[in-house]
Structures are given as C-alpha cells and as structure tokens.
Amino acid sequence: QAVCGYGSQDALPFRAIKEGELYFQEDREVNLVDLALATNIPKGCAETAVRVHISYLDGKGNLEPQGAVPSAVSTLTDDLLKYYQHVTRAVLGDDPQLMKVALQDLQTNSKIAALLPYFVYVVSGVKSVSHDLEQLNRLLHIARSLIQNPFLCLGSYVRSLIASVMYCALEPLAASINPLNDHWTLRDYAAMLLSRIFWTHGDLVSGLYHQILLSLQKVLADPVRPLCSHYGAVVGLHALGWK
C-alpha cells in the first residue's frame, strides 16, 4: 500500500527480521530541532511514488532476470501461430483421435502462454454455435485443457472462461429446441467445469464467488426461464458444493 505524506520520492526502506519472513519499514531518526527551525514549510502531500519490480517465469518455472522480455509476452512467432492454427483445426475438426492429441498437448504444453488470449477467444465462440452440441462440447474441452495446464496463469481471463461455461449451463441454447438433443449432459459438464475453475482459480478474481452464486440464484428464481435453464442453475449449485 502506498504511503502518503511529506518527504522525498525515494522508496521506503524495508528490513527483514531474523526470526521469520517478516518485513517492516525502517524508521529514520528525525532531528526535531532542525524540523522545527526549518523555513521550507511543506504546502501539501508529496506525489505518491511507486517502485515496481517485475519478474517473469520461464517455461521451467525459473525466474528470468528483471528487464528481460520473455517469450510469453513477445510477439507471436511463426511456430506459435502454426501451433494455434493446427490445434484449433484439430479440436474443431472431424478426426476424434487428432482432437484427443491436440487437447492433451494443450493441457501440458509449457510454451503457449502467449496464445492464452487467443484460445480464450475461441472458447468465447460458444454463443455463435449454440445450435451445435458437438462444437459446444469441444469448446468446453478447450477450456478444460487451459484450466488444467499448470504452466498457464489465467489471471483476468478467468472471468471470460466462466462466462462461456455458464452460457452453456444456463442459456436455453438453440440445440435444446429439439428434444432428441442431449443438452442435459452438456449442462452437467459445464457445471463440473464451473466448479473446477472456481476452486482452482477463483482466488485470481475478487468477488467471483458471490458473482457466480448471484447469477445462478437469479436464473433459478426467474419463473420466465425455461426448465433447462433452471436445471443448469441446480447442477451448477450442486457442483459448487453444499456450502
């Protein structure tokens, strides 16, 4: 937290105690006589100064030196672009074995951090294929692979993933018009995925717990909503746990 007050723009020094990992601000000695006889009376608070230290993790979990630009935030290379194209085509294509291999690699690859926003954008396409249960399932599979990849830090993309997953769970969907379409299984899978996102990445976004509960409660209490939406809210609440 920034400390406001009179003084220089230098960062406040912190010292560590020997007994544990505890840091405290080092108080400097102040000569009250000099302070009382000073002629330069401050007119107001000095501008807040913030000193920033940035560190990046490389693909092996090691800290890269400050100032270095990691591959994860650099511009997309041709290899990354080809990887993105091949994976999306494989997952959304007609070959189930190729889809399985692509999803497995998406779940374990340690060098695709730069592609995270692109894959999240693909998952957000659930609204455009609400008539196709197969495509909806595949987009949710992409979301699951991203969540389970230990090398990816989802950060602010958690909200976008949750919005896409909750869409599959709570919205009527064009595919649900046909009673022969098993959209109930899709909603079950989306509810399970919602729970997994929340319990593994929920701490990345403040207020996420109450936001999810409010959304589920709102749908459940709305008598205008169809049965399939109420069902999605129920399985969503059930997946989050009895508490």
Side-chain angles (χ1 to χ4, degrees), residues 61-242:
N62 301 316
L63 280 175
E64 295 187 359
Q66 185 178 7
V69 179
S71 57
V73 295
S74 60
T75 56
L76 287 184
T77 62
D78 291 338
D79 291 338
L80 281 175
L81 191 58
K82 289 179 181 179
Y83 177 89
Y84 169 75
Q85 293 172 343
H86 286 318
V87 168
T88 50
R89 288 171 185 169
V91 175
L92 302 178
D94 300 325
D95 190 339
Q97 183 61 30
L98 198 59
M99 178 188 71
K100 183 178 180 181
V101 173
L103 289 173
Q104 180 63 30
D105 190 79
L106 196 62
Q107 182 177 327
T108 56
N109 199 313
S110 62
K111 302 177 181 179
I112 59 172
L115 293 175
L116 177 59
Y118 296 87
F119 283 121
V120 171
Y121 178 76
V122 171
V123 175
S124 67
V126 290
K127 298 180 181 179
S128 61
V129 291
S130 66
H131 60 284
D132 192 333
L133 284 178
E134 182 66 27
Q135 293 289 66
L136 288 173
N137 268 297
R138 295 185 180 201
L139 292 177
L140 289 183
H141 286 326
I142 294 178
R144 182 176 183 177
S145 295
L146 295 177
I147 296 162
Q148 293 181 328
N149 190 324
F151 302 102
L152 294 178
C153 179
L154 299 183
S156 59
Y157 296 109
V158 170
R159 286 190 184 275
S160 181
L161 288 175
I162 283 184
S164 299
V165 172
M166 292 187 73
Y167 179 87
C168 294
L170 300 177
E171 293 303 315
L173 301 179
S176 62
I177 298 176
N178 187 348
L180 298 179
N181 289 334
D182 184 17
H183 57 95
W184 310 103
T185 302
L186 175 74
R187 299 180 194 278
D188 291 340
Y189 182 59
M192 180 275 296
L193 205 54
L194 177 67
S195 174
R196 177 164 296 183
I197 295 175
F198 173 74
W199 290 115
T200 56
H201 297 83
D203 57 340
L204 298 176
V205 182
S206 61
L208 188 64
Y209 179 71
H210 294 289
Q211 178 187 343
I212 293 176
L213 286 183
L214 189 62
S215 300
L216 296 175
Q217 181 185 11
K218 185 177 179 180
V219 171
L220 190 60
D222 188 354
V224 181
R225 289 274 191 158
L227 174 63
C228 58
S229 296
H230 289 161
Y231 176 85
V234 170
V235 293
L237 289 168
H238 176 69
L240 289 177
W242 64 269

